[in-house]
């Protein structure tokens, strides 16, 4: 292995049933560097780390570590540790009811009589030298989450640690705690530890990392020196471009004159989303865009009351309304097609007909069942209108293709005649033809006066359908684009923020 390199992974492949999570991925870590591993949710970051730490066996590929001649095989986290590879996971796996010192040494004292005095002394030294604000005898649960995490890191680096892996360590830390963690990371780096840093916070990557490896859909996109990769290019490489030959839909409402407001939220917040302001005009199609994990789904879930709403004021057609659960939203004319149709949307065993009438039935109340004849008529109507390909209204929805399932959920909401329809990733994982149909349908509904909020990971699709884009980064709204600004480049620059000057 080259000098100064502590770890190489080459040609790593890993499949799960139905998913190629890693497809021929390379990764190299230098001694004393902080190396960010980036990619949208589902890109394969955690899988790569789990292969490296022996949690999952790899299907193919080679792993080399410094100081070992042959390729190594890592069959368990313990073996990884023996090679000097340690991980601190998102969910801290320490024992809250033990002391800080006990947590640092537990499981590592086997076979020897425990010398508590010596252990506490060693813990004290380590905590001091790493600048971690905790005392050895303190109960771990009395420490802040950030400090607990730092204790986990101290534990990891006290063994012969060459490679330290931090998988989204900052996701629940505040700014001060992040600064503290970064200080610790830089300190370890100076001692020669190679750090793999997984995060989805762009700003943090630029603050602390030396190099970046980007994954997308299980494939390696590239490896870059941080200073040579402007933030906007990082975003572009994470998102990639879908080169689909979709017929271009002519957009009627290219210029967004502000329409009469239908729905407006001020300071709306939920347990999952930070306070935000938002409105949509009558007959407007707008959308939330941003990287996966930027908070776009959480925003619309707050609007629909799908997560617990914690504050804010909401108006519908100028009147104050209260939406604290989905039924409130539905009663006020809001429909919502969730991101994960398998989990939140479709009921696979139920017939197409029963799936279609579901929302209307809920809205009417279970005490007022929709008659079989009515249900049949509704189902027929929408199967025709949306060209749903099904053998009959009786067919279990689970046997339909993904695109047709999605149309069934769309039909479910259209049947309630909402004034405002929220579509979260309505076209993900469905065939290109159906995608285009759904986009056309959205534009047609808007023409007829319905307001639609659309979310898609494909920026091009958003640009084709939306007349206003609300851009999110790290759980905040960071921009709003209309008119001439509705270009791929504007969107990516806004998502990337800062750091774009050196392009
Ligand atoms: P990331 O950490 O970048 O968000 P992951 O490595 O967790 O991505 O996931 C990559 C892909 O592998 C995703 O499609 C995910 O659904 C799939 N995947 C991950 N772990 C498993 C598992 N244990 N079983 C099945 N599929 C998995
Ligand atoms: Mg992950």
């Amino acid at each position: 292995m080259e000098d100064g390199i502590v770890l190489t992974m080459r040609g790593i492949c890993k499949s799960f049933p139905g998913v190629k999570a890693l497809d021929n991925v390379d990764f190299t870590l230098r001694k004393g560097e902080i190396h960010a591993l980036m990619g949208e949710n589902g890109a394969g970051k955690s899988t790569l780390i789990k292969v490296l730490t022996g949690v999952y066996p790899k299907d193919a590929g080679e792993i080399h570590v410094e100081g070992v001649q042959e390729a190594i095989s890592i069959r368990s986290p313990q073996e990884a540790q023996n090679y000097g590879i340690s991980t601190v996971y998102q969910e801290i796996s320490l024992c809250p009811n033990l002391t800080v010192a006990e947590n640092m040494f537990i499981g590592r004292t086997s076979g020897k009589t425990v010398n508590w005095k010596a252990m506490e002394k060693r813990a004290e030294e380590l905590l001091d030298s790493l600048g971690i604000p905790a005392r050895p005898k303190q109960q771990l649960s009395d420490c802040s989450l950030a400090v607990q995490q730092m204790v986990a890191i101290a534990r990891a680096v006290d063994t012969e640690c060459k490679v330290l892996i931090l998988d989204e360590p900052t996701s629940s830390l505040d700014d001060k705690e992040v600064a503290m963690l970064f200080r610790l990371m830089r300190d370890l780096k100076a001692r020669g530890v190679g750090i793999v840093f997984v995060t989805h916070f762009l700003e943090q990557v630029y603050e602390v990392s030396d190099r970046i490896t980007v994954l997308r859909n299980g494939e390696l996109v590239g490896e870059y020196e941080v200073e040579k990769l402007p933030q906007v290019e990082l975003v572009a490489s994470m998102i990639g471009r879908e080169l689909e030959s979709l017929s271009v839909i002519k957009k009627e409402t290219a210029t967004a004159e502000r329409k009469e407001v239908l729905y407006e939220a001020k300071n709306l917040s939920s347990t999952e989303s930070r306070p935000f302001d938002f409105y949509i005009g009558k007959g407007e199609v707008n959308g939330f865009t941003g990287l996966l994990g930027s908070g776009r789904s959480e925003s619309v879930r707050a609007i629909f009351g799908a997560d617990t709403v914690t504050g804010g004021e909401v108006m519908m057609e100028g009147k104050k309304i209260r939406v604290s659960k989905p039924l409130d939203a539905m009663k006020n004319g809001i429909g919502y097609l969730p991101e994960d149709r398998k989990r939140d949307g479709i009921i696979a065993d139920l017939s197409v007909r029963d799936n279609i009438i579901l929302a209307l039935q809920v809205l009417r109340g279970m005490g007022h069942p929709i008659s079989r004849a009515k249900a049949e008529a509704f189902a027929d109507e929408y199967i025709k209108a949306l060209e749903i390909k099904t053998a009959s209204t009786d067919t279990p929805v689970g046997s339909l293709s993904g695109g047709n399932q999605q149309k069934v959920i769309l039909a479910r909401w259209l049947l309630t005649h909402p004034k405002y329809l929220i579509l979260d990733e309505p076209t993900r994982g469905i065939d290109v033809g159906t995608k285009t149909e759904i986009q056309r349908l959205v534009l047609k509904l808007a023409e007829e006066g319905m307001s639609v909020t659309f979310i898609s990971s494909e920026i091009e699709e958003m640009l084709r359908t939306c007349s206003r884009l609300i851009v999110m980064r790290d759980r905040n709204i960071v921009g709003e684009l209309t008119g001439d600004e509705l270009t791929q480049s504007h969107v990516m620059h806004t998502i990337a923020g800062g750091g774009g000057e050196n392009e």
Side-chain angles (χ1 to χ4, degrees):
M1 216 154 64
E2 250 177 89
D3 253 12
I5 306 257
V6 280
L7 170 80
T8 12
M9 300 176 80
R10 208 166 287 134
I12 305 294
C13 295
K14 174 73 192 168
S15 290
F16 297 107
V19 204
K20 193 140 200 192
L22 294 174
D23 187 1
N24 200 22
V25 170
D26 298 338
F27 181 77
T28 312
L29 184 67
R30 293 180 189 149
K31 196 177 280 187
E33 80 164 334
I34 299 177
H35 193 138
L37 183 58
M38 304 284 295
E40 291 193 289
N41 281 359
K45 306 179 295 291
S46 293
T47 304
L48 187 70
I49 281 164
K50 286 178 176 158
V51 163
L52 178 60
T53 52
V55 177
Y56 298 146
K58 56 183 168 9
D59 299 340
E62 280 193 357
I63 303 175
H64 289 268
V65 289
E66 185 202 24
V68 184
Q69 206 63 41
E70 309 88 53
I72 58 168
S73 77
I74 303 171
R75 282 158 304 198
S76 70
Q78 188 53 54
E79 281 192 8
Q81 193 124 88
N82 296 344
Y83 285 116
I85 302 168
S86 293
T87 323
V88 174
Y89 284 105
Q90 226 161 341
E91 325 77 40
I92 299 163
S93 48
L94 300 181
C95 307
N97 53 350
L98 296 181
T99 66
V100 167
E102 284 163 347
N103 266 292
M104 286 167 71
F105 296 99
I106 193 171
R108 288 171 40 199
T109 45
S110 59
K112 298 170 222 154
T113 35
V114 183
N115 181 344
W116 291 102
K117 269 261 143 7
M119 189 174 90
E120 268 161 21
K121 186 155 173 290
R122 174 75 193 129
E124 177 104 52
E125 285 167 12
L126 202 58
L127 293 168
D128 281 349
S129 80
L130 294 173
I132 301 172
R135 304 280 35 103
K137 286 190 189 174
Q138 207 177 353
Q139 182 151 324
L140 188 75
S141 57
D142 291 341
C143 303
S144 72
L145 205 63
V147 171
Q148 293 189 27
Q149 199 157 45
M150 294 171 79
V151 170
I153 294 172
R155 176 190 160 91
V157 300
D158 189 41
T159 57
E160 275 296 292
C161 177
K162 294 180 196 155
V163 176
L164 177 67
I165 301 162
L166 304 172
D167 194 353
E168 306 233 14
T170 58
S171 45
S172 49
L173 306 187
D174 66 28
D175 292 351
K176 252 174 71 194
E177 293 169 330
V178 169
M180 195 159 72
L181 176 68
F182 283 1
R183 220 175 303 128
L184 174 58
M185 284 167 66
R186 290 196 185 100
D187 187 29
L188 295 172
K189 169 182 149 166
R191 297 172 186 215
V193 178
I195 300 178
V196 184
F197 177 39
V198 181
T199 180
H200 57 262
F201 294 111
L202 296 177
E203 309 283 338
Q204 294 184 354
V205 166
Y206 283 88
E207 198 182 325
V208 79
S209 315
D210 303 298
R211 290 196 301 160
I212 304 177
T213 287
V214 178
L215 299 181
R216 183 173 69 235
N217 288 330
E219 289 176 26
L220 175 68
V221 178
E223 182 194 73
Y224 314 91
E225 303 285 336
V226 163
E227 62 273 16
K228 295 202 182 110
L229 185 70
Q231 225 158 299
V232 65
E233 280 175 31
L234 171 60
V235 168
S237 69
M238 287 167 68
I239 297 175
R241 277 159 189 258
E242 296 272 302
L243 293 171
E244 274 162 4
S245 55
L246 272 169
S247 57
V248 176
I249 301 170
K250 172 107 181 67
K251 201 162 39 181
E252 303 292 314
T253 49
T255 51
E257 79 277 17
R258 183 163 170 159
K259 300 183 171 164
E260 194 187 335
V261 172
L262 174 81
Y263 168 98
E264 182 156 24
K266 290 216 170 79
N267 265 318
L268 181 62
S269 63
S270 77
T271 46
E272 308 302 316
S273 86
R274 294 191 185 150
F276 66 99
D277 294 340
F278 173 79
Y279 74 91
I280 187 162
K282 288 186 179 163
E284 180 186 354
V285 183
N286 69 12
F288 283 95
T289 181
L291 298 172
L292 280 171
S294 60
R296 34 185 227 209
S297 292
E298 289 77 4
S299 300
V300 293
R301 288 175 63 83
I303 293 172
F304 190 66
D307 295 325
T308 305
V309 173
T310 50
E313 234 181 55
V314 177
M315 313 270 279
M316 191 79 176
E317 297 182 301
K319 281 201 231 38
K320 210 174 148 182
I321 60 168
R322 235 179 78 92
V323 175
S324 54
K325 55 180 185 300
L327 189 59
D328 299 336
M330 288 163 69
K331 285 184 171 155
N332 282 292
I334 306 175
Y336 163 66
L337 192 134
E339 183 179 15
D340 186 348
R341 68 170 172 261
K342 287 218 174 61
R343 203 191 65 202
D344 299 328
I346 214 80
I347 304 175
D349 303 335
L350 277 188
S351 67
V352 169
R353 177 184 56 248
D354 290 345
N355 268 286
I356 288 181
I357 64 161
L358 193 73
L360 186 64
Q361 183 63 73
V362 168
L363 206 48
R364 288 192 179 179
M366 289 305 173
H368 305 277
I370 298 168
S371 74
R372 172 76 187 227
K374 269 241 169 73
E376 195 67 37
F378 284 143
D380 268 336
E381 182 189 336
Y382 280 92
I383 287 171
K384 282 205 191 76
L386 300 185
E387 295 174 26
I388 298 171
K389 292 190 186 64
T390 175
S392 75
T393 55
D394 259 334
T395 311
V397 121
S399 67
L400 270 51
S401 73
N404 282 296
Q405 291 184 14
Q406 197 65 300
K407 284 183 180 177
V408 167
I409 308 186
L410 258 174
R412 175 193 295 171
W413 287 109
L414 296 180
L415 184 56
T416 67
H417 296 288
K419 295 174 189 147
Y420 176 24
L421 185 59
I422 300 167
L423 305 173
D424 193 350
E425 297 274 9
T427 60
R428 182 161 62 198
I430 66 182
D431 60 285
V432 176
T434 314
K435 257 184 199 182
T436 316
E437 276 179 57
I438 288 179
Q439 293 166 15
R440 279 182 205 282
L441 178 70
V442 163
L443 292 173
K444 181 166 154 277
L445 292 170
E447 226 161 80
E448 292 164 9
M450 196 184 286
S451 308
V452 182
T453 292
F454 193 84
I455 295 179
S456 166
S457 295
E458 289 170 34
I459 293 178
E460 288 170 20
E461 178 175 68
M462 301 280 284
L463 293 172
R464 272 196 299 272
T465 41
C466 301
S467 55
R468 186 160 56 95
L469 285 183
I470 294 131
V471 183
M472 298 196 70
R473 181 192 331 128
D474 298 349
R475 315 209 146 244
N476 292 308
I477 292 176
V478 293
E480 192 180 292
L481 306 175
T482 57
D484 294 344
E485 301 158 337
L486 290 172
T487 65
Q488 187 125 5
S489 143
H490 263 97
V491 174
M492 296 221 252
H493 273 95
T494 315
I495 290 176
E501 54 282 343
N502 51 343
E503 36 174 327

